[in-house]
Coordinates of all heavy atoms in Angstrom, one line a residue:
M1 N 169.1 -261.5 -37.8 CA 168.8 -261.0 -36.6 C 167.3 -260.5 -36.7 O 167.1 -259.6 -37.5 CB 169.7 -259.9 -36.1 CG 169.3 -259.4 -34.8 SD 170.4 -258.2 -34.2 CE 171.9 -259.1 -33.6
T2 N 166.5 -260.9 -35.8 CA 165.1 -260.3 -35.9 C 164.9 -259.4 -34.7 O 165.5 -259.5 -33.6 CB 164.3 -261.6 -35.7 OG1 164.4 -262.1 -34.5 CG2 164.3 -262.6 -36.8
S3 N 164.1 -258.5 -34.8 CA 163.8 -257.4 -33.9 C 162.8 -258.0 -32.8 O 161.9 -258.9 -33.4 CB 163.4 -256.1 -34.5 OG 162.1 -256.3 -35.2
P4 N 162.8 -257.5 -31.7 CA 161.6 -258.0 -30.9 C 160.3 -257.6 -31.3 O 160.2 -256.6 -32.0 CB 162.0 -257.4 -29.5 CG 162.9 -256.3 -29.8 CD 163.6 -256.6 -31.1
P5 N 159.2 -258.3 -30.9 CA 157.9 -257.9 -31.4 C 157.5 -256.6 -30.7 O 157.7 -256.3 -29.7 CB 156.9 -259.1 -30.9 CG 157.7 -259.6 -29.8 CD 159.2 -259.5 -30.2
K6 N 156.8 -255.8 -31.6 CA 156.3 -254.4 -31.1 C 155.0 -254.6 -30.2 O 154.3 -255.5 -30.4 CB 156.0 -253.5 -32.3 CG 157.1 -253.2 -33.2 CD 156.6 -252.5 -34.4 CE 156.4 -251.0 -34.1 NZ 156.1 -250.1 -35.2
F7 N 155.0 -253.8 -29.3 CA 153.9 -253.8 -28.3 C 152.6 -253.3 -29.0 O 152.6 -252.3 -29.6 CB 154.2 -252.8 -27.2 CG 153.2 -252.9 -26.1 CD1 153.1 -254.0 -25.2 CD2 152.2 -251.9 -25.9 CE1 152.2 -254.1 -24.2 CE2 151.2 -252.0 -25.0 CZ 151.3 -253.1 -24.0
D8 N 151.6 -254.0 -29.0 CA 150.4 -253.7 -29.7 C 149.3 -253.1 -28.7 O 148.8 -253.8 -27.9 CB 149.9 -254.9 -30.4 CG 148.6 -254.6 -31.3 OD1 148.2 -253.4 -31.5 OD2 148.0 -255.7 -31.7
W9 N 149.2 -251.7 -28.7 CA 148.3 -251.1 -27.8 C 147.0 -251.5 -28.1 O 146.1 -251.7 -27.1 CB 148.5 -249.6 -28.0 CG 149.6 -249.2 -27.3 CD1 150.9 -248.7 -27.8 CD2 149.7 -248.9 -26.0 NE1 151.7 -248.3 -26.8 CE2 151.1 -248.5 -25.6 CE3 148.9 -249.0 -24.9 CZ2 151.4 -248.1 -24.2 CZ3 149.3 -248.8 -23.6 CH2 150.5 -248.3 -23.2
I10 N 146.4 -251.8 -29.3 CA 144.8 -252.1 -29.5 C 144.7 -253.4 -28.8 O 143.7 -253.7 -28.2 CB 144.7 -252.0 -31.0 CG1 144.8 -250.5 -31.5 CG2 143.2 -252.6 -31.2 CD1 144.5 -250.3 -32.8
T11 N 145.4 -254.4 -29.0 CA 145.3 -255.7 -28.5 C 145.2 -255.6 -26.8 O 144.4 -256.2 -26.3 CB 146.4 -256.6 -28.9 OG1 146.3 -256.8 -30.2 CG2 146.3 -258.1 -28.3
F12 N 146.2 -254.9 -26.4 CA 146.4 -254.7 -24.9 C 145.0 -253.9 -24.4 O 144.4 -254.5 -23.4 CB 147.5 -253.7 -24.6 CG 147.5 -253.3 -23.1 CD1 147.8 -254.1 -22.1 CD2 147.1 -252.0 -22.8 CE1 147.8 -253.7 -20.8 CE2 147.2 -251.5 -21.5 CZ 147.5 -252.4 -20.5
I13 N 144.5 -253.0 -25.1 CA 143.3 -252.3 -24.6 C 142.1 -253.3 -24.7 O 141.4 -253.1 -23.8 CB 143.2 -250.9 -25.4 CG1 144.2 -249.9 -25.0 CG2 141.8 -250.4 -25.1 CD1 144.3 -248.7 -25.9
A14 N 142.0 -253.9 -25.7 CA 140.9 -254.8 -26.0 C 140.8 -255.9 -25.0 O 139.8 -256.2 -24.3 CB 140.8 -255.4 -27.4
R15 N 141.9 -256.5 -24.8 CA 142.0 -257.7 -23.8 C 142.0 -257.2 -22.4 O 141.2 -257.8 -21.6 CB 143.4 -258.5 -24.0 CG 143.3 -259.3 -25.3 CD 144.6 -260.1 -25.3 NE 144.8 -260.7 -26.6 CZ 144.3 -261.9 -26.9 NH1 143.6 -262.5 -26.2 NH2 144.5 -262.3 -28.0
F16 N 142.6 -256.2 -22.0 CA 142.6 -255.7 -20.6 C 141.2 -255.1 -20.4 O 140.8 -255.4 -19.1 CB 143.7 -254.7 -20.4 CG 143.7 -254.2 -19.0 CD1 144.5 -255.0 -18.1 CD2 143.0 -253.0 -18.6 CE1 144.5 -254.6 -16.7 CE2 143.0 -252.7 -17.2 CZ 143.9 -253.4 -16.2
G17 N 140.6 -254.4 -21.2 CA 139.4 -253.7 -21.0 C 138.2 -254.8 -20.8 O 137.4 -254.7 -19.8
C18 N 138.2 -255.8 -21.7 CA 137.2 -256.8 -21.6 C 137.5 -257.6 -20.3 O 136.5 -258.0 -19.6 CB 137.2 -257.7 -22.7 SG 136.6 -256.9 -24.3
G19 N 138.7 -258.0 -20.0 CA 138.9 -258.8 -18.8 C 138.5 -258.0 -17.6 O 138.0 -258.5 -16.5
F20 N 138.8 -256.6 -17.6 CA 138.6 -255.7 -16.4 C 137.0 -255.7 -16.1 O 136.5 -255.8 -15.0 CB 139.1 -254.4 -16.7 CG 138.9 -253.4 -15.5 CD1 139.8 -253.3 -14.5 CD2 137.8 -252.6 -15.4 CE1 139.7 -252.6 -13.4 CE2 137.6 -251.7 -14.3 CZ 138.5 -251.7 -13.3
M21 N 136.2 -255.5 -17.2 CA 134.8 -255.4 -17.2 C 134.2 -256.8 -16.6 O 133.4 -256.7 -15.6 CB 134.1 -255.0 -18.5 CG 134.5 -253.7 -18.8 SD 134.2 -252.3 -17.7 CE 132.4 -252.2 -17.8
I22 N 134.6 -257.9 -17.2 CA 134.0 -259.1 -16.8 C 134.4 -259.4 -15.4 O 133.7 -259.9 -14.5 CB 134.6 -260.2 -17.7 CG1 133.9 -260.1 -19.2 CG2 134.1 -261.6 -17.2 CD1 132.5 -260.4 -19.2
G23 N 135.8 -259.4 -15.2 CA 136.2 -259.6 -13.8 C 135.7 -258.7 -12.8 O 135.3 -259.2 -11.6
G24 N 135.5 -257.5 -13.1 CA 134.9 -256.4 -12.1 C 133.4 -256.8 -11.7 O 133.0 -256.8 -10.6
F25 N 132.6 -257.1 -12.7 CA 131.2 -257.3 -12.6 C 130.9 -258.7 -11.7 O 130.2 -258.8 -10.9 CB 130.5 -257.4 -13.8 CG 130.1 -256.0 -14.2 CD1 130.4 -255.5 -15.5 CD2 129.3 -255.3 -13.5 CE1 130.2 -254.3 -15.9 CE2 129.0 -253.9 -13.9 CZ 129.4 -253.4 -15.1
L26 N 131.8 -259.8 -12.2 CA 131.7 -261.1 -11.5 C 132.1 -260.9 -10.0 O 131.6 -261.5 -9.1 CB 132.5 -262.0 -12.2 CG 132.0 -262.5 -13.7 CD1 132.9 -263.5 -14.2 CD2 130.5 -263.1 -13.5
S27 N 133.1 -260.2 -9.8 CA 133.5 -260.0 -8.4 C 132.7 -259.2 -7.6 O 132.5 -259.4 -6.5 CB 135.0 -259.3 -8.4 OG 136.0 -260.1 -9.0
G28 N 132.3 -258.1 -8.2 CA 131.3 -257.2 -7.6 C 129.9 -257.9 -7.2 O 129.3 -257.7 -6.2
L29 N 129.5 -258.9 -8.1 CA 128.3 -259.7 -7.7 C 128.6 -260.7 -6.7 O 127.7 -261.0 -6.0 CB 127.7 -260.3 -9.1 CG 127.3 -259.4 -10.1 CD1 126.9 -260.2 -11.4 CD2 126.1 -258.8 -9.6
R30 N 129.8 -261.2 -6.6 CA 130.1 -262.0 -5.7 C 130.3 -261.5 -4.3 O 129.9 -262.2 -3.2 CB 131.5 -262.8 -5.9 CG 132.1 -263.8 -5.1 CD 131.2 -265.1 -5.0 NE 131.9 -266.1 -4.2 CZ 131.4 -266.3 -2.9 NH1 130.4 -265.8 -2.5 NH2 132.1 -267.3 -2.3
F31 N 130.7 -260.3 -4.1 CA 130.9 -259.5 -2.9 C 130.1 -258.3 -2.9 O 130.6 -257.2 -3.0 CB 132.3 -259.3 -2.6 CG 133.2 -260.5 -2.6 CD1 134.0 -260.9 -3.6 CD2 133.2 -261.3 -1.5 CE1 134.8 -262.0 -3.6 CE2 133.8 -262.5 -1.5 CZ 134.7 -262.8 -2.5
P32 N 128.6 -258.2 -2.8 CA 127.9 -257.1 -3.0 C 128.1 -256.0 -1.9 O 127.9 -254.9 -2.0 CB 126.6 -257.7 -3.0 CG 126.6 -259.0 -2.5 CD 127.9 -259.4 -2.7
Q33 N 128.5 -256.5 -0.6 CA 128.6 -255.6 0.3 C 129.9 -254.7 0.2 O 129.9 -253.5 0.8 CB 128.9 -256.3 1.8 CG 130.2 -257.2 1.9 CD 130.0 -258.6 1.3 OE1 129.1 -258.9 0.6 NE2 131.0 -259.4 1.6
S34 N 130.8 -255.0 -0.6 CA 132.0 -254.0 -0.8 C 132.2 -254.1 -2.4 O 133.2 -254.5 -3.0 CB 133.2 -254.4 -0.3 OG 133.4 -255.8 -0.6
F35 N 131.1 -253.7 -3.1 CA 131.1 -253.9 -4.5 C 132.2 -253.1 -5.2 O 132.8 -253.7 -6.1 CB 129.7 -253.3 -5.1 CG 129.6 -253.5 -6.6 CD1 129.2 -254.6 -7.1 CD2 129.8 -252.4 -7.5 CE1 128.9 -254.8 -8.6 CE2 129.8 -252.5 -8.7 CZ 129.3 -253.6 -9.3
L36 N 132.5 -251.9 -4.8 CA 133.3 -251.1 -5.6 C 134.8 -251.7 -5.3 O 135.5 -251.7 -6.4 CB 133.4 -249.6 -4.9 CG 134.3 -248.6 -5.8 CD1 134.1 -248.5 -7.1 CD2 134.2 -247.2 -5.1
M37 N 135.2 -252.2 -4.1 CA 136.4 -252.6 -4.0 C 136.6 -254.0 -4.6 O 137.6 -254.2 -5.3 CB 136.8 -252.9 -2.5 CG 138.1 -253.4 -2.1 SD 139.4 -252.3 -2.7 CE 139.5 -251.3 -1.3
A38 N 135.6 -254.8 -4.7 CA 135.7 -256.0 -5.4 C 135.7 -255.8 -6.8 O 136.6 -256.5 -7.5 CB 134.4 -256.8 -5.0
F39 N 135.1 -254.8 -7.3 CA 135.1 -254.5 -8.7 C 136.4 -254.1 -9.2 O 137.0 -254.6 -10.3 CB 134.0 -253.3 -9.1 CG 133.9 -253.0 -10.6 CD1 132.9 -253.7 -11.2 CD2 134.8 -252.2 -11.3 CE1 132.7 -253.5 -12.6 CE2 134.6 -251.8 -12.6 CZ 133.6 -252.6 -13.3
V40 N 137.2 -253.3 -8.5 CA 138.5 -252.9 -8.8 C 139.4 -253.8 -8.8 O 140.3 -254.2 -9.6 CB 138.8 -251.5 -7.9 CG1 140.3 -251.2 -8.1 CG2 138.0 -250.4 -8.3
V41 N 139.5 -254.6 -7.7 CA 140.4 -255.7 -7.5 C 140.3 -256.8 -8.4 O 141.3 -257.2 -9.1 CB 140.5 -256.2 -6.0 CG1 141.2 -257.4 -5.8 CG2 141.0 -255.1 -5.1
G42 N 139.1 -257.3 -8.5 CA 138.6 -258.4 -9.7 C 139.0 -258.0 -11.0 O 139.4 -258.7 -11.7
G43 N 138.6 -256.7 -11.3 CA 138.9 -256.2 -12.8 C 140.3 -256.1 -12.9 O 140.7 -256.4 -14.1
L44 N 141.1 -255.6 -12.1 CA 142.6 -255.5 -12.4 C 143.2 -256.9 -12.5 O 144.1 -257.1 -13.4 CB 143.3 -254.7 -11.3 CG 143.1 -253.1 -11.1 CD1 143.7 -252.7 -10.0 CD2 143.6 -252.6 -12.4
L45 N 142.8 -257.8 -11.6 CA 143.4 -259.0 -11.7 C 142.9 -259.7 -13.0 O 143.8 -260.4 -13.9 CB 142.9 -259.9 -10.5 CG 143.3 -261.4 -10.6 CD1 144.9 -261.5 -10.3 CD2 142.6 -262.0 -9.4
C46 N 141.7 -259.8 -13.4 CA 141.3 -260.4 -14.6 C 141.7 -259.7 -15.9 O 142.0 -260.3 -16.9 CB 139.7 -260.5 -14.5 SG 139.1 -261.8 -13.5
G47 N 141.8 -258.4 -15.7 CA 142.3 -257.5 -16.9 C 143.8 -257.9 -17.1 O 144.2 -258.2 -18.3
L48 N 144.7 -258.0 -16.1 CA 146.0 -258.4 -16.3 C 146.1 -259.9 -16.9 O 147.0 -260.2 -17.8 CB 146.8 -258.4 -15.0 CG 147.1 -256.9 -14.7 CD1 147.9 -256.8 -13.3 CD2 148.1 -256.4 -15.7
L49 N 145.3 -260.8 -16.2 CA 145.4 -262.2 -16.7 C 144.8 -262.3 -18.2 O 145.5 -263.1 -18.9 CB 144.7 -263.1 -15.9 CG 145.2 -263.3 -14.4 CD1 144.2 -264.2 -13.7 CD2 146.5 -264.1 -14.6
A50 N 143.8 -261.7 -18.6 CA 143.4 -261.8 -19.9 C 144.4 -261.1 -20.9 O 144.5 -261.8 -22.0 CB 142.1 -260.9 -20.1
W51 N 145.1 -260.1 -20.5 CA 146.3 -259.5 -21.4 C 147.4 -260.5 -21.4 O 148.0 -260.7 -22.6 CB 146.6 -258.2 -20.8 CG 147.8 -257.7 -21.6 CD1 148.0 -257.4 -22.9 CD2 149.0 -257.3 -20.9 NE1 149.3 -256.8 -23.2 CE2 149.9 -256.9 -22.0 CE3 149.6 -257.2 -19.6 CZ2 151.4 -256.3 -21.7 CZ3 150.9 -256.9 -19.4 CH2 151.7 -256.4 -20.5
L52 N 147.8 -261.1 -20.3 CA 149.0 -261.9 -20.4 C 148.9 -263.4 -21.0 O 149.6 -263.9 -21.6 CB 149.6 -262.2 -18.9 CG 150.2 -260.8 -18.4 CD1 150.5 -261.1 -16.8 CD2 151.4 -260.4 -19.1
L53 N 147.6 -264.0 -20.7 CA 147.3 -265.1 -21.1 C 146.6 -265.2 -22.5 O 146.6 -266.2 -23.1 CB 146.4 -266.0 -20.0 CG 147.2 -266.2 -18.7 CD1 146.0 -266.9 -17.9 CD2 148.4 -267.1 -18.7
G54 N 146.0 -264.1 -22.9 CA 145.3 -264.1 -24.2 C 144.0 -265.0 -24.3 O 143.3 -265.0 -23.4
D55 N 144.0 -265.8 -25.3 CA 143.0 -266.6 -25.6 C 142.8 -267.7 -24.5 O 141.7 -268.2 -24.3 CB 143.0 -267.2 -26.9 CG 142.7 -266.2 -28.0 OD1 142.1 -265.0 -27.7 OD2 143.2 -266.3 -29.2
R56 N 143.9 -268.1 -23.9 CA 143.9 -269.1 -23.0 C 142.9 -268.8 -21.8 O 142.5 -269.6 -21.2 CB 145.3 -269.5 -22.3 CG 146.1 -270.4 -23.5 CD 147.4 -270.8 -23.1 NE 148.1 -269.5 -22.9 CZ 149.3 -269.5 -22.1 NH1 149.6 -270.5 -21.3 NH2 149.9 -268.3 -21.9
F57 N 143.0 -267.5 -21.5 CA 142.2 -267.0 -20.4 C 140.7 -267.2 -20.5 O 139.9 -267.6 -19.8 CB 142.5 -265.4 -20.2 CG 141.6 -264.8 -19.1 CD1 141.9 -265.0 -17.7 CD2 140.6 -264.1 -19.5 CE1 141.0 -264.5 -16.8 CE2 139.7 -263.5 -18.5 CZ 139.9 -263.7 -17.2
W58 N 140.3 -266.9 -21.9 CA 138.9 -266.9 -22.2 C 138.4 -268.3 -22.4 O 137.3 -268.7 -22.2 CB 138.6 -266.1 -23.5 CG 138.9 -264.7 -23.1 CD1 140.1 -263.9 -23.7 CD2 138.2 -263.8 -22.4 NE1 140.0 -262.7 -23.2 CE2 138.8 -262.4 -22.3 CE3 137.1 -263.9 -21.5 CZ2 138.4 -261.4 -21.7 CZ3 136.7 -262.7 -20.9 CH2 137.3 -261.6 -20.9
T59 N 139.2 -269.2 -22.9 CA 138.8 -270.6 -23.4 C 138.9 -271.5 -22.1 O 138.3 -272.5 -22.1 CB 139.6 -271.2 -24.4 OG1 141.0 -271.2 -24.0 CG2 139.4 -270.5 -25.7
S60 N 139.7 -271.1 -20.9 CA 139.8 -271.9 -19.7 C 138.7 -272.0 -18.9 O 138.2 -272.9 -18.3 CB 141.0 -271.5 -18.9 OG 140.7 -270.3 -18.4
R61 N 138.0 -271.0 -19.0 CA 136.5 -270.7 -18.2 C 136.6 -271.0 -16.7 O 135.8 -271.3 -16.1 CB 135.5 -271.6 -18.7 CG 135.0 -271.2 -20.1 CD 133.8 -271.9 -20.4 NE 133.3 -271.3 -21.7 CZ 132.0 -270.8 -21.9 NH1 131.1 -271.1 -20.9 NH2 131.6 -270.4 -22.9
W62 N 137.8 -270.8 -16.2 CA 138.0 -270.8 -14.6 C 137.3 -269.8 -13.9 O 136.9 -269.9 -12.8 CB 139.5 -270.8 -14.2 CG 140.1 -269.6 -14.6 CD1 140.9 -269.3 -15.7 CD2 140.2 -268.4 -13.8 NE1 141.3 -268.0 -15.7 CE2 141.0 -267.4 -14.5 CE3 139.6 -268.0 -12.5 CZ2 141.2 -266.2 -14.0 CZ3 140.0 -266.8 -12.0 CH2 140.7 -265.9 -12.8
W63 N 137.1 -268.7 -14.7 CA 136.5 -267.6 -14.1 C 134.9 -267.6 -14.0 O 134.2 -266.9 -13.5 CB 136.9 -266.2 -14.8 CG 136.8 -266.5 -16.3 CD1 137.9 -266.8 -17.2 CD2 135.8 -266.1 -17.2 NE1 137.4 -266.7 -18.5 CE2 136.0 -266.4 -18.5 CE3 134.4 -265.7 -17.0 CZ2 135.2 -266.2 -19.5 CZ3 133.5 -265.4 -18.0 CH2 133.9 -265.8 -19.3
W64 N 134.4 -268.5 -14.9 CA 133.0 -268.6 -15.0 C 132.5 -269.4 -14.0 O 131.7 -269.5 -13.1 CB 132.7 -269.4 -16.4 CG 131.3 -269.2 -16.9 CD1 130.4 -270.4 -16.8 CD2 130.6 -268.2 -17.3 NE1 129.2 -270.0 -17.3 CE2 129.3 -268.7 -17.6 CE3 130.9 -266.9 -17.5 CZ2 128.3 -267.8 -18.0 CZ3 129.8 -266.1 -18.0 CH2 128.6 -266.6 -18.2

């Protein structure tokens, strides 16, 4: 019997943080009239996707 994989905080922080920053800035540049709201929403969305999809998020380049 194998135990479930342990949650890796460092991987989560790195992936979510980078996704949040990239998504926030790209969304903020796309919608400059509401920069803060676009930054937060785009950052959260891209941060979660970067964490859940991992390397597939960065190699797909749909966000670019």
Side-chain angles (χ1 to χ4, degrees):
M1 179 182 285
T2 61
S3 61
K6 294 175 81 175
F7 186 77
D8 186 10
W9 279 103
I10 294 184
T11 301
F12 169 75
I13 290 170
R15 289 185 189 273
F16 184 83
C18 290
F20 185 86
M21 295 303 288
I22 294 287
F25 280 122
L26 290 178
S27 297
L29 292 175
R30 176 72 174 103
F31 302 103
Q33 66 276 12
S34 57
F35 182 83
L36 184 59
M37 182 60 82
F39 186 90
V40 170
V41 171
L44 287 174
L45 179 65
C46 288
L48 286 174
L49 288 174
W51 172 56
L52 293 173
L53 298 177
D55 290 336
R56 288 183 294 160
F57 175 79
W58 299 108
T59 57
S60 67
R61 289 193 171 231
W62 65 267
W63 47 271
W64 190 252

